[in-house]
Amino acid sequence: MKPNKNLFLLAGAIVCGTVYSQDDPLSSSTGVPVNPPSSGDVAVRGGVPVAPPNYKIQPSDILSIQVFQQQDLDKDSRVEADGTITLHLIGRVNVQGLTVGEAREKVTELYNRDFLVNPQVDLQVTQFKLEQVQVLGQVRNPGAIGIPPDEDLSLLQAVSRAGGFTRLARKGSVQIRREIDDEETRVFVINASDMISDPDSEVFILRDGDIVFVEERLI
C-alpha cells in the first residue's frame, strides 16, 4: 500500500541535533541579501522558453526544427516514447539523451548526407520537463525550484533560491520527503543550522520530486 501523502510523518526519519546559528546567511532576518528564487536557467526565445544547451532530450519533449531556406522541412515534432522524432525526407531519428547541440548536429548530418548541400539547421527544445523540487513552509518564496541539468542541487542551495529562511524557521529540523518508489516514501530530518555553521559538514543533495518543508519554530 502506498504511504500516506500527508507531509512529513517522521517515521523512519534521520534525526539530527538542534542548533541555531546566530549568523545564518540563509536567514531573511539577518538582512543579508539572498538569492532570488529560480526555476532553473531557462532562456526565453520569441516568448517561448527553450531548454538550456546541456539539457538532454527526453520522450514527450517537443522540438522545433527549421532548415534555412527550406521552409517545407520546418517542423515541430514531439519525441516519441522510443526517443525518436520523424522529420521530412530523413524519417525517424533517435534523439533521446542527446543535448540540443548533439541533436542539431545529427539532423544536419542526415540532411547533408543524401538531400541537401551544407544545410543550416536550427533545432530547439520548446517544451520540456526540468527536474525540480518543492520548498515549502518557512522560507520567503515557497514553491518549485529547478535542478539545473547535469548539476547537483543541495538543500541549502534550494533554500537560498527560495529566498532564504524566515525568522520563524525551524532550521534545526528541516524535513525532506522523498518517494523512493511507488511503495516507499522516506522522510529525512536535517539540521540545516549545522550545515550553515560548519562548512565542512556533509552536503545533502536533493533529487527530482523531493519536497522540502521548513516548520515554524516554537517561540
Side-chain angles (χ1 to χ4, degrees):
M1 179 178 295
K2 193 172 183 177
N4 194 308
K5 293 288 187 180
N6 292 331
L7 290 177
F8 310 124
L9 295 177
L10 299 183
I14 299 174
V15 181
C16 302
T18 301
V19 179
Y20 290 96
S21 170
Q22 298 301 314
D23 298 307
D24 177 3
L26 294 177
S27 172
S28 61
S29 64
T30 63
V32 177
V34 295
N35 294 328
S38 169
S39 58
D41 298 327
V42 178
V44 177
R45 182 179 182 181
V48 178
V50 296
N54 55 352
Y55 175 79
K56 293 187 177 180
I57 297 170
Q58 308 173 39
S60 298
D61 289 349
I62 294 181
L63 277 55
S64 173
I65 299 95
Q66 296 180 321
V67 183
F68 182 62
Q69 294 186 334
Q70 300 290 335
Q71 288 83 358
D72 291 345
L73 301 181
D74 293 350
K75 185 174 185 180
D76 289 340
S77 182
R78 181 181 295 277
V79 181
E80 303 293 339
D82 62 359
T84 65
I85 56 175
T86 302
L87 300 178
H88 303 300
L89 297 179
I90 58 177
R92 299 173 72 84
V93 181
N94 192 332
V95 294
Q96 183 173 2
L98 301 182
T99 65
V100 173
E102 291 169 341
R104 182 186 302 116
E105 183 177 347
K106 185 173 186 177
V107 171
T108 300
E109 180 183 349
L110 291 172
Y111 274 126
N112 188 57
R113 180 183 302 172
D114 297 315
F115 302 102
L116 302 173
V117 177
N118 296 323
Q120 303 297 310
V121 176
D122 182 31
L123 183 149
Q124 299 291 340
V125 184
T126 57
Q127 183 171 313
F128 54 96
K129 177 183 179 298
L130 284 177
E131 295 183 342
Q132 65 179 20
V133 302
Q134 300 284 335
V135 183
L136 307 175
Q138 292 298 320
V139 293
R140 296 186 66 184
N141 299 297
I145 302 296
I147 302 176
D150 298 330
E151 294 182 20
D152 289 332
L153 178 69
S154 72
L155 171 62
L156 295 187
Q157 287 174 324
V159 170
S160 177
R161 293 180 184 180
F165 291 116
T166 71
R167 65 181 181 84
L168 298 178
R170 190 180 178 189
K171 298 186 285 290
S173 57
V174 176
Q175 303 169 24
I176 298 99
R177 179 179 182 274
R178 174 174 296 168
E179 291 195 8
I180 305 301
D181 52 38
D182 290 340
E183 301 295 329
E184 182 181 2
T185 299
R186 292 190 65 184
V187 177
F188 302 88
V189 180
I190 302 298
N191 189 328
S193 291
D194 281 352
M195 290 182 172
I196 294 168
S197 60
D198 180 6
D200 295 326
S201 61
E202 185 176 0
V203 175
F204 190 93
I205 300 299
L206 298 175
R207 298 179 184 174
D208 181 34
D210 280 354
I211 300 175
V212 177
F213 187 76
V214 183
E215 289 186 322
E216 180 177 342
R217 62 184 171 87
L218 299 177
I219 299 178

